[in-house]
Amino acid sequence: MKIFIKERENGGFAIARDNEKRAGAMTYSSAGEHLLIIDHTEVEPEYMGKKVGRQMLYKIVEMAREKEMKIIPLCPFAAAMFKKEKNIRDVLQNNN
């Protein structure tokens, strides 16, 4: 499984590929120079339960750390992961 980030002018997405097959995608929008909003996650049915969503989220978290950005997780999956995974909360907006 390979996870790629594709950046666009006002956001981008992480895409998971298993060889040439799309396994999932997680989209985000820019909300200023140092803030992004994860707004949607989808995983193809045959990849459910294989941690594809987690891998895509971790790729976006890695990018946010490199760019010194914070994340607002509006997507229910991403929000649940931030509650569950303490080791990624450093990039969470308003993390107290």
mmCIF file of all heavy atoms in Angstrom, residues 23-64:
data_model
loop_
_atom_site.group_PDB
_atom_site.id
_atom_site.type_symbol
_atom_site.label_atom_id
_atom_site.label_comp_id
_atom_site.label_asym_id
_atom_site.label_seq_id
_atom_site.Cartn_x
_atom_site.Cartn_y
_atom_site.Cartn_z
ATOM 1 N N ALA A 23 -7.421 2.498 -3.162
ATOM 2 C CA ALA A 23 -7.947 1.899 -1.940
ATOM 3 C C ALA A 23 -8.728 2.903 -1.103
ATOM 4 O O ALA A 23 -9.607 2.529 -0.338
ATOM 5 C CB ALA A 23 -6.812 1.302 -1.115
ATOM 6 N N GLY A 24 -8.417 4.203 -1.256
ATOM 7 C CA GLY A 24 -9.121 5.208 -0.483
ATOM 8 C C GLY A 24 -8.583 6.601 -0.745
ATOM 9 O O GLY A 24 -7.566 6.770 -1.425
ATOM 10 N N ALA A 25 -9.283 7.594 -0.188
ATOM 11 C CA ALA A 25 -8.868 8.994 -0.315
ATOM 12 C C ALA A 25 -9.330 9.765 0.910
ATOM 13 O O ALA A 25 -10.363 9.455 1.503
ATOM 14 C CB ALA A 25 -9.445 9.621 -1.576
ATOM 15 N N MET A 26 -8.542 10.772 1.289
ATOM 16 C CA MET A 26 -8.878 11.672 2.393
ATOM 17 C C MET A 26 -8.619 13.087 1.888
ATOM 18 O O MET A 26 -7.506 13.396 1.476
ATOM 19 C CB MET A 26 -8.015 11.359 3.613
ATOM 20 C CG MET A 26 -8.281 12.259 4.807
ATOM 21 S SD MET A 26 -7.285 11.786 6.262
ATOM 22 C CE MET A 26 -8.208 10.356 6.834
ATOM 23 N N THR A 27 -9.650 13.919 1.890
ATOM 24 C CA THR A 27 -9.516 15.264 1.344
ATOM 25 C C THR A 27 -9.368 16.300 2.456
ATOM 26 O O THR A 27 -9.854 16.117 3.569
ATOM 27 C CB THR A 27 -10.727 15.637 0.465
ATOM 28 O OG1 THR A 27 -11.922 15.592 1.253
ATOM 29 C CG2 THR A 27 -10.865 14.684 -0.713
ATOM 30 N N TYR A 28 -8.673 17.381 2.102
ATOM 31 C CA TYR A 28 -8.507 18.488 3.034
ATOM 32 C C TYR A 28 -8.560 19.802 2.266
ATOM 33 O O TYR A 28 -8.292 19.861 1.075
ATOM 34 C CB TYR A 28 -7.197 18.373 3.828
ATOM 35 C CG TYR A 28 -5.940 18.409 2.999
ATOM 36 C CD1 TYR A 28 -5.326 19.609 2.673
ATOM 37 C CD2 TYR A 28 -5.365 17.235 2.528
ATOM 38 C CE1 TYR A 28 -4.167 19.654 1.905
ATOM 39 C CE2 TYR A 28 -4.210 17.265 1.761
ATOM 40 C CZ TYR A 28 -3.618 18.472 1.458
ATOM 41 O OH TYR A 28 -2.479 18.505 0.693
ATOM 42 N N SER A 29 -8.925 20.854 2.993
ATOM 43 C CA SER A 29 -8.994 22.199 2.438
ATOM 44 C C SER A 29 -8.071 23.106 3.232
ATOM 45 O O SER A 29 -7.905 22.926 4.434
ATOM 46 C CB SER A 29 -10.421 22.759 2.553
ATOM 47 O OG SER A 29 -11.340 21.907 1.937
ATOM 48 N N SER A 30 -7.498 24.092 2.567
ATOM 49 C CA SER A 30 -6.687 25.096 3.251
ATOM 50 C C SER A 30 -7.611 26.093 3.931
ATOM 51 O O SER A 30 -8.623 26.496 3.369
ATOM 52 C CB SER A 30 -5.797 25.846 2.254
ATOM 53 O OG SER A 30 -4.854 24.971 1.706
ATOM 54 N N ALA A 31 -7.248 26.475 5.139
ATOM 55 C CA ALA A 31 -8.020 27.470 5.888
ATOM 56 C C ALA A 31 -7.056 28.525 6.412
ATOM 57 O O ALA A 31 -7.014 28.825 7.587
ATOM 58 C CB ALA A 31 -8.784 26.800 7.021
ATOM 59 N N GLY A 32 -6.230 29.023 5.517
ATOM 60 C CA GLY A 32 -5.208 29.971 5.904
ATOM 61 C C GLY A 32 -3.835 29.365 5.683
ATOM 62 O O GLY A 32 -3.702 28.206 5.296
ATOM 63 N N GLU A 33 -2.840 30.161 5.955
ATOM 64 C CA GLU A 33 -1.468 29.754 5.675
ATOM 65 C C GLU A 33 -0.990 28.571 6.519
ATOM 66 O O GLU A 33 -0.200 27.754 6.072
ATOM 67 C CB GLU A 33 -0.537 30.951 5.902
ATOM 68 C CG GLU A 33 0.855 30.731 5.399
ATOM 69 C CD GLU A 33 1.717 31.971 5.527
ATOM 70 O OE1 GLU A 33 1.165 33.091 5.560
ATOM 71 O OE2 GLU A 33 2.938 31.810 5.612
ATOM 72 N N HIS A 34 -1.490 28.467 7.756
ATOM 73 C CA HIS A 34 -0.995 27.434 8.664
ATOM 74 C C HIS A 34 -2.093 26.529 9.216
ATOM 75 O O HIS A 34 -1.943 25.956 10.294
ATOM 76 C CB HIS A 34 -0.233 28.077 9.825
ATOM 77 C CG HIS A 34 0.978 28.818 9.382
ATOM 78 N ND1 HIS A 34 2.126 28.183 8.988
ATOM 79 C CD2 HIS A 34 1.200 30.142 9.226
ATOM 80 C CE1 HIS A 34 3.020 29.082 8.623
ATOM 81 N NE2 HIS A 34 2.481 30.282 8.756
ATOM 82 N N LEU A 35 -3.186 26.392 8.466
ATOM 83 C CA LEU A 35 -4.318 25.609 8.955
ATOM 84 C C LEU A 35 -4.960 24.838 7.811
ATOM 85 O O LEU A 35 -5.154 25.379 6.727
ATOM 86 C CB LEU A 35 -5.341 26.551 9.601
ATOM 87 C CG LEU A 35 -6.532 25.921 10.304
ATOM 88 C CD1 LEU A 35 -6.095 25.079 11.502
ATOM 89 C CD2 LEU A 35 -7.498 27.010 10.764
ATOM 90 N N LEU A 36 -5.276 23.571 8.067
ATOM 91 C CA LEU A 36 -6.024 22.810 7.077
ATOM 92 C C LEU A 36 -7.155 22.058 7.757
ATOM 93 O O LEU A 36 -7.125 21.779 8.951
ATOM 94 C CB LEU A 36 -5.113 21.878 6.270
ATOM 95 C CG LEU A 36 -4.309 20.795 6.950
ATOM 96 C CD1 LEU A 36 -5.121 19.515 7.074
ATOM 97 C CD2 LEU A 36 -3.089 20.499 6.111
ATOM 98 N N ILE A 37 -8.171 21.772 6.974
ATOM 99 C CA ILE A 37 -9.373 21.104 7.453
ATOM 100 C C ILE A 37 -9.503 19.774 6.720
ATOM 101 O O ILE A 37 -9.602 19.748 5.492
ATOM 102 C CB ILE A 37 -10.629 21.959 7.187
ATOM 103 C CG1 ILE A 37 -10.536 23.285 7.939
ATOM 104 C CG2 ILE A 37 -11.891 21.191 7.570
ATOM 105 C CD1 ILE A 37 -11.584 24.305 7.513
ATOM 106 N N ILE A 38 -9.481 18.685 7.472
ATOM 107 C CA ILE A 38 -9.759 17.376 6.866
ATOM 108 C C ILE A 38 -11.271 17.245 6.830
ATOM 109 O O ILE A 38 -11.941 17.277 7.861
ATOM 110 C CB ILE A 38 -9.121 16.228 7.671
ATOM 111 C CG1 ILE A 38 -7.600 16.371 7.659
ATOM 112 C CG2 ILE A 38 -9.560 14.875 7.092
ATOM 113 C CD1 ILE A 38 -6.867 15.349 8.504
ATOM 114 N N ASP A 39 -11.820 17.126 5.613
ATOM 115 C CA ASP A 39 -13.273 17.166 5.479
ATOM 116 C C ASP A 39 -13.925 15.878 5.002
ATOM 117 O O ASP A 39 -15.143 15.735 5.098
ATOM 118 C CB ASP A 39 -13.697 18.339 4.587
ATOM 119 C CG ASP A 39 -12.915 18.401 3.290
ATOM 120 O OD1 ASP A 39 -12.446 17.368 2.796
ATOM 121 O OD2 ASP A 39 -12.754 19.523 2.773
ATOM 122 N N HIS A 40 -13.153 14.921 4.510
ATOM 123 C CA HIS A 40 -13.802 13.701 4.002
ATOM 124 C C HIS A 40 -12.796 12.561 3.932
ATOM 125 O O HIS A 40 -11.645 12.755 3.553
ATOM 126 C CB HIS A 40 -14.374 13.972 2.611
ATOM 127 C CG HIS A 40 -15.094 12.810 2.017
ATOM 128 N ND1 HIS A 40 -16.309 12.380 2.475
ATOM 129 C CD2 HIS A 40 -14.749 11.968 1.014
ATOM 130 C CE1 HIS A 40 -16.693 11.335 1.760
ATOM 131 N NE2 HIS A 40 -15.763 11.056 0.871
ATOM 132 N N THR A 41 -13.263 11.379 4.298
ATOM 133 C CA THR A 41 -12.463 10.154 4.157
ATOM 134 C C THR A 41 -13.336 9.101 3.515
ATOM 135 O O THR A 41 -14.497 8.929 3.908
ATOM 136 C CB THR A 41 -11.990 9.621 5.530
ATOM 137 O OG1 THR A 41 -11.241 10.641 6.195
ATOM 138 C CG2 THR A 41 -11.139 8.372 5.371
ATOM 139 N N GLU A 42 -12.782 8.420 2.532
ATOM 140 C CA GLU A 42 -13.496 7.274 1.971
ATOM 141 C C GLU A 42 -12.504 6.146 1.711
ATOM 142 O O GLU A 42 -11.368 6.384 1.315
ATOM 143 C CB GLU A 42 -14.254 7.633 0.697
ATOM 144 C CG GLU A 42 -13.412 8.134 -0.437
ATOM 145 C CD GLU A 42 -14.254 8.566 -1.630
ATOM 146 O OE1 GLU A 42 -15.047 9.506 -1.484
ATOM 147 O OE2 GLU A 42 -14.100 7.943 -2.690
ATOM 148 N N VAL A 43 -12.959 4.945 2.009
ATOM 149 C CA VAL A 43 -12.159 3.745 1.801
ATOM 150 C C VAL A 43 -13.007 2.773 0.991
ATOM 151 O O VAL A 43 -14.187 2.582 1.294
ATOM 152 C CB VAL A 43 -11.736 3.117 3.157
ATOM 153 C CG1 VAL A 43 -11.019 1.791 2.949
ATOM 154 C CG2 VAL A 43 -10.850 4.080 3.932
ATOM 155 N N GLU A 44 -12.413 2.199 -0.030
ATOM 156 C CA GLU A 44 -13.130 1.234 -0.863
ATOM 157 C C GLU A 44 -13.534 0.028 -0.005
ATOM 158 O O GLU A 44 -12.785 -0.377 0.886
ATOM 159 C CB GLU A 44 -12.261 0.795 -2.045
ATOM 160 C CG GLU A 44 -11.882 1.922 -2.986
ATOM 161 C CD GLU A 44 -13.077 2.643 -3.593
ATOM 162 O OE1 GLU A 44 -14.100 1.986 -3.902
ATOM 163 O OE2 GLU A 44 -13.005 3.869 -3.764
ATOM 164 N N PRO A 45 -14.720 -0.532 -0.261
ATOM 165 C CA PRO A 45 -15.247 -1.615 0.589
ATOM 166 C C PRO A 45 -14.275 -2.774 0.826
ATOM 167 O O PRO A 45 -14.171 -3.275 1.954
ATOM 168 C CB PRO A 45 -16.489 -2.094 -0.175
ATOM 169 C CG PRO A 45 -16.926 -0.895 -0.948
ATOM 170 C CD PRO A 45 -15.656 -0.168 -1.321
ATOM 171 N N GLU A 46 -13.530 -3.178 -0.185
ATOM 172 C CA GLU A 46 -12.627 -4.322 -0.004
ATOM 173 C C GLU A 46 -11.413 -3.996 0.879
ATOM 174 O O GLU A 46 -10.683 -4.900 1.283
ATOM 175 C CB GLU A 46 -12.172 -4.904 -1.345
ATOM 176 C CG GLU A 46 -11.433 -3.932 -2.231
ATOM 177 C CD GLU A 46 -12.330 -3.203 -3.236
ATOM 178 O OE1 GLU A 46 -13.494 -2.886 -2.911
ATOM 179 O OE2 GLU A 46 -11.841 -2.937 -4.338
ATOM 180 N N TYR A 47 -11.226 -2.717 1.208
ATOM 181 C CA TYR A 47 -10.108 -2.313 2.062
ATOM 182 C C TYR A 47 -10.548 -1.904 3.463
ATOM 183 O O TYR A 47 -9.717 -1.496 4.275
ATOM 184 C CB TYR A 47 -9.315 -1.183 1.398
ATOM 185 C CG TYR A 47 -8.598 -1.659 0.161
ATOM 186 C CD1 TYR A 47 -9.165 -1.498 -1.092
ATOM 187 C CD2 TYR A 47 -7.371 -2.306 0.247
ATOM 188 C CE1 TYR A 47 -8.527 -1.959 -2.243
ATOM 189 C CE2 TYR A 47 -6.722 -2.765 -0.883
ATOM 190 C CZ TYR A 47 -7.309 -2.589 -2.124
ATOM 191 O OH TYR A 47 -6.673 -3.055 -3.240
ATOM 192 N N MET A 48 -11.822 -2.020 3.754
ATOM 193 C CA MET A 48 -12.328 -1.689 5.090
ATOM 194 C C MET A 48 -11.660 -2.601 6.124
ATOM 195 O O MET A 48 -11.449 -3.786 5.872
ATOM 196 C CB MET A 48 -13.840 -1.881 5.164
ATOM 197 C CG MET A 48 -14.599 -0.897 4.329
ATOM 198 S SD MET A 48 -14.529 0.721 5.066
ATOM 199 C CE MET A 48 -15.921 1.467 4.302
ATOM 200 N N GLY A 49 -11.298 -2.023 7.267
ATOM 201 C CA GLY A 49 -10.687 -2.804 8.335
ATOM 202 C C GLY A 49 -9.200 -3.061 8.151
ATOM 203 O O GLY A 49 -8.592 -3.770 8.945
ATOM 204 N N LYS A 50 -8.595 -2.461 7.121
ATOM 205 C CA LYS A 50 -7.177 -2.685 6.846
ATOM 206 C C LYS A 50 -6.321 -1.454 7.149
ATOM 207 O O LYS A 50 -5.210 -1.330 6.666
ATOM 208 C CB LYS A 50 -6.999 -3.123 5.394
ATOM 209 C CG LYS A 50 -7.669 -4.458 5.122
ATOM 210 C CD LYS A 50 -7.435 -4.937 3.717
ATOM 211 C CE LYS A 50 -8.133 -6.289 3.530
ATOM 212 N NZ LYS A 50 -7.961 -6.805 2.187
ATOM 213 N N LYS A 51 -6.880 -0.546 7.939
ATOM 214 C CA LYS A 51 -6.164 0.656 8.416
ATOM 215 C C LYS A 51 -5.751 1.620 7.300
ATOM 216 O O LYS A 51 -4.796 2.378 7.440
ATOM 217 C CB LYS A 51 -4.971 0.274 9.272
ATOM 218 C CG LYS A 51 -5.363 -0.545 10.501
ATOM 219 C CD LYS A 51 -4.238 -0.670 11.479
ATOM 220 C CE LYS A 51 -4.581 -1.558 12.642
ATOM 221 N NZ LYS A 51 -5.580 -1.078 13.531
ATOM 222 N N VAL A 52 -6.499 1.611 6.206
ATOM 223 C CA VAL A 52 -6.207 2.510 5.091
ATOM 224 C C VAL A 52 -6.465 3.959 5.511
ATOM 225 O O VAL A 52 -5.643 4.844 5.252
ATOM 226 C CB VAL A 52 -7.030 2.130 3.835
ATOM 227 C CG1 VAL A 52 -6.856 3.150 2.740
ATOM 228 C CG2 VAL A 52 -6.628 0.745 3.354
ATOM 229 N N GLY A 53 -7.576 4.218 6.165
ATOM 230 C CA GLY A 53 -7.890 5.565 6.632
ATOM 231 C C GLY A 53 -6.824 6.085 7.581
ATOM 232 O O GLY A 53 -6.397 7.241 7.495
ATOM 233 N N ARG A 54 -6.368 5.246 8.482
ATOM 234 C CA ARG A 54 -5.324 5.626 9.440
ATOM 235 C C ARG A 54 -4.031 5.993 8.706
ATOM 236 O O ARG A 54 -3.388 6.992 9.035
ATOM 237 C CB ARG A 54 -5.074 4.463 10.391
ATOM 238 C CG ARG A 54 -4.076 4.757 11.478
ATOM 239 C CD ARG A 54 -3.915 3.499 12.361
ATOM 240 N NE ARG A 54 -3.140 3.770 13.548
ATOM 241 C CZ ARG A 54 -1.811 3.707 13.620
ATOM 242 N NH1 ARG A 54 -1.114 3.387 12.569
ATOM 243 N NH2 ARG A 54 -1.192 3.967 14.749
ATOM 244 N N GLN A 55 -3.662 5.202 7.712
ATOM 245 C CA GLN A 55 -2.433 5.482 6.964
ATOM 246 C C GLN A 55 -2.516 6.822 6.230
ATOM 247 O O GLN A 55 -1.547 7.576 6.196
ATOM 248 C CB GLN A 55 -2.160 4.365 5.961
ATOM 249 C CG GLN A 55 -1.779 3.048 6.607
ATOM 250 C CD GLN A 55 -1.600 1.955 5.571
ATOM 251 O OE1 GLN A 55 -0.777 2.104 4.677
ATOM 252 N NE2 GLN A 55 -2.378 0.890 5.675
ATOM 253 N N MET A 56 -3.697 7.116 5.652
ATOM 254 C CA MET A 56 -3.858 8.392 4.950
ATOM 255 C C MET A 56 -3.796 9.549 5.933
ATOM 256 O O MET A 56 -3.147 10.566 5.667
ATOM 257 C CB MET A 56 -5.172 8.405 4.160
ATOM 258 C CG MET A 56 -5.179 7.432 3.007
ATOM 259 S SD MET A 56 -6.656 7.531 1.965
ATOM 260 C CE MET A 56 -7.969 7.042 3.095
ATOM 261 N N LEU A 57 -4.445 9.406 7.088
ATOM 262 C CA LEU A 57 -4.407 10.451 8.103
ATOM 263 C C LEU A 57 -2.975 10.700 8.564
ATOM 264 O O LEU A 57 -2.537 11.850 8.669
ATOM 265 C CB LEU A 57 -5.285 10.080 9.300
ATOM 266 C CG LEU A 57 -5.257 11.082 10.466
ATOM 267 C CD1 LEU A 57 -5.753 12.449 10.024
ATOM 268 C CD2 LEU A 57 -6.064 10.558 11.635
ATOM 269 N N TYR A 58 -2.221 9.648 8.823
ATOM 270 C CA TYR A 58 -0.842 9.809 9.265
ATOM 271 C C TYR A 58 0.015 10.500 8.206
ATOM 272 O O TYR A 58 0.922 11.258 8.539
ATOM 273 C CB TYR A 58 -0.243 8.465 9.683
ATOM 274 C CG TYR A 58 -0.506 8.135 11.129
ATOM 275 C CD1 TYR A 58 -1.805 7.963 11.607
ATOM 276 C CD2 TYR A 58 0.527 8.008 12.031
ATOM 277 C CE1 TYR A 58 -2.047 7.671 12.934
ATOM 278 C CE2 TYR A 58 0.294 7.713 13.370
ATOM 279 C CZ TYR A 58 -0.992 7.552 13.818
ATOM 280 O OH TYR A 58 -1.223 7.276 15.141
ATOM 281 N N LYS A 59 -0.278 10.271 6.936
ATOM 282 C CA LYS A 59 0.468 10.944 5.865
ATOM 283 C C LYS A 59 0.174 12.445 5.888
ATOM 284 O O LYS A 59 1.076 13.274 5.735
ATOM 285 C CB LYS A 59 0.097 10.331 4.513
ATOM 286 C CG LYS A 59 0.990 10.770 3.391
ATOM 287 C CD LYS A 59 2.358 10.141 3.531
ATOM 288 C CE LYS A 59 3.170 10.331 2.277
ATOM 289 N NZ LYS A 59 4.494 9.712 2.389
ATOM 290 N N ILE A 60 -1.090 12.818 6.093
ATOM 291 C CA ILE A 60 -1.449 14.239 6.178
ATOM 292 C C ILE A 60 -0.846 14.862 7.443
ATOM 293 O O ILE A 60 -0.351 15.994 7.407
ATOM 294 C CB ILE A 60 -2.979 14.430 6.113
ATOM 295 C CG1 ILE A 60 -3.478 14.049 4.704
ATOM 296 C CG2 ILE A 60 -3.372 15.861 6.460
ATOM 297 C CD1 ILE A 60 -4.983 14.048 4.546
ATOM 298 N N VAL A 61 -0.848 14.139 8.550
ATOM 299 C CA VAL A 61 -0.236 14.625 9.786
ATOM 300 C C VAL A 61 1.259 14.871 9.568
ATOM 301 O O VAL A 61 1.800 15.901 9.986
ATOM 302 C CB VAL A 61 -0.481 13.640 10.957
ATOM 303 C CG1 VAL A 61 0.427 13.944 12.137
ATOM 304 C CG2 VAL A 61 -1.941 13.675 11.378
ATOM 305 N N GLU A 62 1.915 13.949 8.890
ATOM 306 C CA GLU A 62 3.343 14.105 8.578
ATOM 307 C C GLU A 62 3.584 15.381 7.762
ATOM 308 O O GLU A 62 4.495 16.149 8.049
ATOM 309 C CB GLU A 62 3.804 12.879 7.789
ATOM 310 C CG GLU A 62 5.243 12.890 7.351
ATOM 311 C CD GLU A 62 5.561 11.663 6.509
ATOM 312 O OE1 GLU A 62 5.271 10.536 6.954
ATOM 313 O OE2 GLU A 62 6.079 11.833 5.388
ATOM 314 N N MET A 63 2.740 15.613 6.765
ATOM 315 C CA MET A 63 2.851 16.815 5.941
ATOM 316 C C MET A 63 2.630 18.071 6.796
ATOM 317 O O MET A 63 3.356 19.054 6.681
ATOM 318 C CB MET A 63 1.840 16.785 4.789
ATOM 319 C CG MET A 63 1.865 18.038 3.935
ATOM 320 S SD MET A 63 0.437 18.179 2.846
ATOM 321 C CE MET A 63 -0.868 18.505 4.029
ATOM 322 N N ALA A 64 1.619 18.032 7.672
ATOM 323 C CA ALA A 64 1.317 19.177 8.533
ATOM 324 C C ALA A 64 2.503 19.494 9.447
ATOM 325 O O ALA A 64 2.840 20.662 9.642
ATOM 326 C CB ALA A 64 0.056 18.906 9.359
#
